[in-house]
Every structure is written in structure tokens, then in C-alpha cells.
Amino acid sequence: MESKMKRDAMKLETLLIHAGQEAESVTGATIPPIHVTTTYTQESPGVHKGYEYSRSANPTRANFEAVLAAAEGGEAAAAFASGLAATNAIFHTMRPGDNVVAFADAYGGTYRLLERVFKHWGLQARYSEDTSPAAFKALMDGKTKLVWIESPTNPMLRVLDIRALADVTHGVGAKLAVDNTFATPVLQRPIELGADYVIHSTTKYIGGHSDVIGGAVIVKKKADMEPVSFYQNAAGGVPGPFDCYLAHRGIKTLSLRMKQHCHNARRVAEHFDGHRELERVIYPSLSSHPDRALAERQMRGFGGIVTFVIKGDRERCFRFCKRVKLFSLAESLGGVESLLNHPAIMTHASIPKEIREKRGITDSLVRLSVGIEDADDLIADLEQALG
Ligand SMILES: *Cc1c(COP(=O)(O)O)cnc(C)c1O
């Protein structure tokens, strides 16, 4: 496809359908087959068609990597067996003694990887409790090699200024990595804003159907892919061809799904804002949101995640969690079906209670991953559960 059409000239919606989807050359199959082979027959030693062994490269994975790179506007992409395997690959581009500056409200698994795996390895993590680029800058020094952010964050939905953070990061010669799992390339393209790496848990919106675990790294510059693809092959945390196929099928409808996620989430947030049973509704479109103006400028839609702080104690909150019917009480997010998560007990349990509560993740906070069902049905379900 890239050979026939100029990628730069195509819009995202077109790329999501066509990048990495060239018809198969032997039969003409419009949808490329799933290449389940582990190995590739060579004509003579070392003479092959670019594939030798499926840990190193596999055509189904290569197709998925092509659409990921196109979607994010990067020069290359590498797919991994999970979002954390992709994160791990980026952390491995550093060396013991280096440090990484991250926003404090990071994905729980990223925090756990930094604190319980990479700390012993010799990578120091510094956390900014403040979203401002100046606060990040104050934590940087000559040993800072990476700045790691998510935007919007999970579950407080703070929005960070990617362009401004890229400037301060590059000012000390470090790289900026943006975990774009929540926004997806449909709502936000970090590479255009100056990021060097984009990371995805493709488990979430990209796969979109809650049926496959996966991850990816996309780089702005091809040269930055070299250590990542070396690590991908050397450490071997690769996704299988079936998983790549499923996630690739998912990404084709990403744009349509994101429109509905955003529409429904906004309806839910605006309906429940000021509700008698709620202490607070967090969603970037609300006037109470501290980063509303930045979200409007940086994103093309406010996303599919809404956070509620429920009035009353933990038991009251549990009652709500048990009473929802359409929303499944489950970890994860980004699927077509609506999910409800209690971060303190579920996704963020690996963060010590004191730290968690300081960041606002109390026992009364729930995170909604608003699906693509009918918004009125979702609102009715949440109303009866709060009731
Ligand atoms: C889920 C998630 C991850 C981790 O991805 P896995 O596929 O579960 O390994 C990383 N970052 C964010 C923002 C996530 O939501």
C-alpha cells in the first residue's frame, strides 16, 4: 500500500483501513492471511525473502506494525506481547545509573515496573506530582534520559502539555515517551507534538473488543527503533500472529469507535455532573476540570473514560459497583462494552495506600470505561445503581 500511495497524503481514517493491508501476492486474498509459521524456507544459506524466524519478524506482525506506525505518524513501530512488555523495552534503552522522570499518576503497572523491577536494576525513577513542565524540569539532571507521561492520566484524567514537555525534555538531551493508550491516535498524535516514543497497550482501544492482550512502541525517528527492535528480538516478548491479526482487525474501526466512546462519555459526564449522590465527576470537557483548555487544544475529543467520586463511605461505593448491570465490574478499558473499575482495590492496588490516597485515588473513586452502547441506556443503568 505504501508503495502505491503516498502515506503522507492520506488521512488517518484511510490509513487505519489500508496501511499494512496489501493484498496477498500469491492468491490475491484481499485480507492478508495469518502467517502461523515459525520459520521460513531459504533458497540457499542466508538467501531468503526478509524473514528467517518468527521471533525476529513475522509478516502478520509486520502488517500490524505498519498500521501502527502510520496511525501515529512515526517512522517505525514494534509490537509486543503486552503494553507492559512495550514499556519494558523502552526502559531497557537506558543504562543503570540513568534516571527517568514520570508523572506521579502513572498506570499502576508502569509504577510497579519502575519500583519493583528497574529500581534494583539501577534505574532511578523520579515522580512529578505537578503537571507543569517547570516541575518536570526541576527533577531533571544530566542523568535524565527519559521523560515518561500519559495524557489523559489514569484515573484522574489530568492532561499534560506534550509540546511544552517535549521542549524541556529535549533541553536536557532526554527523550519524551507518551503512553497514548487512553487518547489513541484518533484523539491525540504525540509525535506531531514533539514526542520521541509513543507506547500503547493495544489491549485497550486499539484492539477494542477486550479479547487480546498486546502492546506497541512507535518511534518518531527510525534510528530510535534500532535499540527497541534489538530488544524485541533479544528478549523475545513478541505477540503471536493471531494476536496481531485480531488487534489489526480492531484498529480498522478505531476512528468510528472513538467517536462513539467520546459522545457517550461526554453524555454520561454532563448528565451526572452535580448529581446528588456524587462528590465529583472528572471529565476533561467539564468546566470544573483543571486542564479543560489544554485538552481542547491538544485533543480531538475528550476520550471515553469518566471518573466518579461517590458520596459516602467505601460500603456505599461497593453497593454502586455491585448494582450496575450494563457496566461490568472489571479491570481494563477501551472495549466496545462499558466497564466499571474500582482502582484502589483493582487496577491501582500495587500502589501503596498512602501514596494512592494522596493522589486522590480513594475508596470512593470509580473509573468508568464508557462503551459504545446507547448513551441513554448507560445513563439509566448508572442512575439505578446510584439510586
Ligand atoms: C493497560 C495499560 C497498560 C499496560 O498494558 P497491558 O497490555 O495490560 O500490559 C499501560 N498503560 C496504560 C495507560 C494502560 O491502560
Side-chain angles (χ1 to χ4, degrees):
M1 180 51 53
E2 266 103 315
S3 55
K4 288 189 214 127
M5 290 173 72
K6 254 188 81 82
R7 198 173 104 172
D8 293 348
M10 284 191 276
K11 299 273 198 315
L12 178 64
E13 282 68 17
T14 311
L15 291 168
L16 292 175
I17 308 294
H18 291 284
Q21 282 290 292
E22 225 167 319
E24 191 261 332
S25 60
V26 177
T27 63
T30 305
I31 300 302
I34 304 171
H35 288 271
V36 291
T37 192
T38 57
T39 191
Y40 304 82
T41 302
Q42 308 197 357
E43 266 170 54
S44 65
V47 179
H48 53 72
K49 299 180 164 64
Y51 294 97
E52 297 159 89
Y53 183 63
S54 278
R55 171 166 30 75
S56 315
N58 170 282
T60 311
R61 193 173 93 212
N63 285 343
F64 181 44
E65 291 170 339
V67 73
L68 287 166
E72 288 288 2
E75 290 185 354
F80 287 88
S82 69
L84 281 175
T87 304
N88 179 57
I90 293 295
F91 292 163
H92 270 287
T93 62
M94 288 177 280
R95 291 289 165 264
D98 290 347
N99 69 63
V100 49
V101 179
F103 185 57
D105 188 17
Y107 175 69
T110 302
Y111 177 79
R112 180 175 54 202
L113 188 60
L114 285 169
E115 290 302 305
R116 310 235 349 235
V117 178
F118 277 92
K119 193 179 227 168
H120 313 305
W121 182 83
L123 180 68
Q124 194 202 20
R126 302 170 177 183
Y127 303 97
S128 177
E129 298 282 347
D130 181 331
T131 57
S132 76
F136 274 75
K137 195 173 175 189
L139 295 172
M140 295 177 192
D141 59 24
K143 289 282 190 186
T144 303
K145 294 290 155 58
L146 185 74
V147 171
W148 181 277
I149 62 162
E150 294 164 34
S151 185
T153 65
N154 172 20
M156 304 309 283
L157 306 179
R158 292 303 304 270
V159 179
L160 281 76
D161 189 333
I162 297 172
R163 198 183 288 282
L165 281 162
D167 287 346
V168 297
T169 301
H170 296 151
V172 300
K175 307 253 188 219
L176 177 65
V178 178
D179 180 337
N180 206 28
T181 299
F182 270 42
T184 84
V186 173
L187 304 184
Q188 170 173 287
R189 304 234 297 169
I191 285 174
E192 284 171 3
L193 299 169
D196 302 285
Y197 306 115
V198 170
I199 289 82
H200 276 282
S201 168
T202 59
T203 311
K204 314 293 167 51
Y205 288 107
I206 286 184
H209 297 73
S210 306
D211 55 6
V212 59
I213 298 279
V217 171
I218 299 105
V219 294
K220 179 177 192 158
K221 293 268 164 251
K222 215 175 192 125
D224 282 331
M225 183 45 77
E226 213 259 310
V228 176
S229 51
F230 172 81
Y231 186 82
Q232 181 194 36
N233 182 48
V238 294
F242 287 105
D243 287 2
C244 292
Y245 163 76
L246 270 178
H248 196 155
R249 186 158 93 150
I251 205 173
K252 292 179 188 176
T253 55
L254 182 65
S255 181
L256 276 177
R257 285 187 281 109
M258 290 317 290
K259 285 193 182 93
Q260 192 68 18
H261 282 299
C262 289
H263 171 81
N264 285 358
R266 190 169 184 160
R267 285 276 321 275
V268 166
E270 287 173 4
H271 177 90
F272 287 97
D273 193 25
H275 191 282
R276 66 188 183 284
E277 298 294 337
L278 297 179
E279 198 74 55
R280 190 176 163 207
V281 175
I282 305 172
Y283 189 68
S285 81
L286 298 177
S287 55
S288 58
H289 194 283
D291 309 315
R292 184 194 161 138
L294 174 59
E296 241 161 16
R297 195 166 75 234
Q298 184 166 276
M299 301 175 71
R300 274 164 299 211
F302 298 103
I305 308 294
V306 180
T307 298
F308 283 180
V309 181
I310 296 179
K311 277 187 186 160
D313 60 9
R314 171 175 152 141
E315 289 317 309
R316 170 76 187 86
C317 183
F318 276 25
R319 199 161 73 235
F320 167 75
C321 293
K322 287 189 282 197
R323 280 171 70 162
V324 287
K325 293 195 174 83
L326 277 177
F327 282 79
S328 299
L329 180 62
E331 296 197 5
S332 201
L333 58 104
V336 290
E337 62 287 302
S338 292
L339 302 178
L340 172 71
N341 166 47
H342 187 285
I345 297 206
M346 296 163 67
T347 49
H348 289 59
S350 60
I351 301 173
K353 187 176 164 74
E354 260 178 48
I355 297 179
R356 207 168 58 214
E357 298 208 330
K358 210 170 81 195
R359 293 180 190 156
I361 308 170
T362 64
D363 286 349
S364 296
L365 181 142
V366 291
R367 182 191 75 197
L368 311 175
S369 172
V370 181
I372 64 169
E373 302 96 332
D374 181 85
D376 292 330
D377 288 344
L378 296 177
I379 289 169
D381 186 40
L382 295 168
E383 278 285 6
Q384 69 75 27
L386 279 172

